[in-house]
Amino acid sequence: MTMKLHCFGESGHSYKAALTLQMMRQDWEPVFIDFFNGGVRSDDYRKLNVMGEAPLLIDGDKTLSQSGVIQQYLVDKTGLMGGAREDKYEVLRWILWDNHKLSSQAGVARFLLNFLPEEKRPAEAIGFIQGRLMGALKVLNEHLDGRDWLVGDGISIADLTCCGYLFYDEPFGFVRADWPNIDAWLTRISDQPGWKHPYDLMQRAYQG
C-alpha cells in the first residue's frame, strides 16, 4: 500500500520525512498542503492531525506526525538508516538536538526572511535567531570534523534530520562555504542514491 505524506515543499520538516522515504526507496506519494492559505488549519486537516503541523504520514491505518517520529517509524519498518544497535540513543540525541537547536532556528529565520513582506520582517528577532543558528552550526561543523556521518560509519536518520533545512537555496544566514565540514557532509548526502532536492520531492506552496 502506498504511503501518503501530507507535506509542502518549503517545509524543512516535511523534507526530512520525504527524503527518508525516498532514500529508503519506499512506496510513497506526497499529498500537497496549501500551507500559506491555511491548509494546516482547516477542519479536515485538523481531524487528521490535531497539532496542525506538517508533515503527516499515513500508512494504512497508521497516522503519524512529527518528522522525527516518522523517520523512526520508517527505520523500524524497513531496518534501514537506524545506525548500529548500540548507536540508537546517539541517533535519537541528534534528532532531538536538531529539532530544538538547529531546525527550529533555521526554519524560523528562513520563514521570516523569505515568506513575509519585507516591511513586516522583525529585524531584531531575526538577528537573535540567526545568532542562535550560528551557534548550532558551529556545534554541527565541529562534530563533523574528521567524520563522514553524524553517528557511526554510515548515513542514518541523524544525518537526514540535521540536513533538513540546509539544502534550501533561499537565504537565511547559512552559507555552505563558511562551514567546510558541513559543506562536505551535505555533498556526501546528496551523492547518495535516491537523494533529491526538496523542491523535486514536494510541491511548493508559496506563490509570492
Side-chain angles (χ1 to χ4, degrees):
M1 181 179 295
T2 300
M3 287 182 275
K4 298 184 184 301
L5 184 71
H6 293 253
C7 58
F8 63 101
E10 290 85 355
S11 166
H13 290 290
S14 292
Y15 180 50
K16 298 171 191 182
L19 185 60
T20 303
L21 285 159
Q22 186 71 16
M23 292 181 69
M24 287 182 175
R25 301 188 181 279
Q26 295 300 289
D27 181 13
W28 75 285
E29 64 183 29
V31 178
F32 175 65
I33 299 173
D34 193 0
F35 176 81
F36 293 99
N37 286 307
V40 296
R41 298 190 298 274
S42 70
D43 290 341
D44 287 344
Y45 190 73
R46 289 280 184 163
K47 290 176 184 177
L48 294 173
N49 183 5
V50 68
M51 294 180 179
E53 297 176 334
L56 178 77
L57 180 71
I58 299 179
D59 182 14
D61 60 0
K62 179 76 71 176
T63 300
L64 297 167
S65 65
Q66 299 296 317
S67 60
V69 172
I70 292 169
Q71 287 179 306
Q72 185 59 53
Y73 172 75
L74 293 170
V75 168
D76 295 340
K77 182 183 178 76
T78 67
L80 301 173
M81 294 189 179
R85 183 174 180 178
E86 62 270 20
D87 291 332
K88 176 180 179 178
Y89 295 111
E90 184 68 4
V91 170
L92 177 61
R93 186 170 78 103
W94 281 101
I95 291 172
L96 296 176
W97 175 84
D98 165 69
N99 278 257
H100 180 56
K101 294 289 190 179
L102 178 57
S103 285
S104 58
Q105 314 306 328
V108 174
R110 181 167 158 270
F111 177 83
L112 294 177
L113 282 166
N114 294 279
F115 305 119
L116 281 184
E118 187 171 356
E119 67 275 11
K120 293 184 178 180
R121 297 172 188 170
E124 289 187 8
I126 291 171
F128 173 77
I129 292 164
Q130 287 181 318
R132 290 179 62 84
L133 173 61
M134 293 304 108
L137 290 169
K138 184 174 184 291
V139 170
L140 182 63
N141 194 68
E142 289 179 352
H143 181 73
L144 286 166
D145 188 22
R147 299 172 183 265
D148 287 342
W149 307 108
L150 284 177
V151 179
D153 297 326
I155 190 169
S156 72
I157 56 172
D159 301 288
L160 298 189
T161 190
C162 288
C163 77
Y165 279 93
L166 304 185
F167 281 113
Y168 285 96
D169 300 319
E170 298 94 348
F172 59 92
F174 170 63
V175 178
R176 281 180 64 159
D178 294 342
W179 307 94
N181 297 330
I182 295 176
D183 181 39
W185 167 72
L186 291 174
T187 298
R188 283 191 290 275
I189 294 173
S190 62
D191 283 344
Q192 297 298 300
W195 180 88
K196 287 188 177 182
H197 187 277
Y199 294 143
D200 292 328
L201 284 177
M202 304 172 293
Q203 180 181 338
R204 295 191 190 197
Y206 185 65
Q207 302 297 323

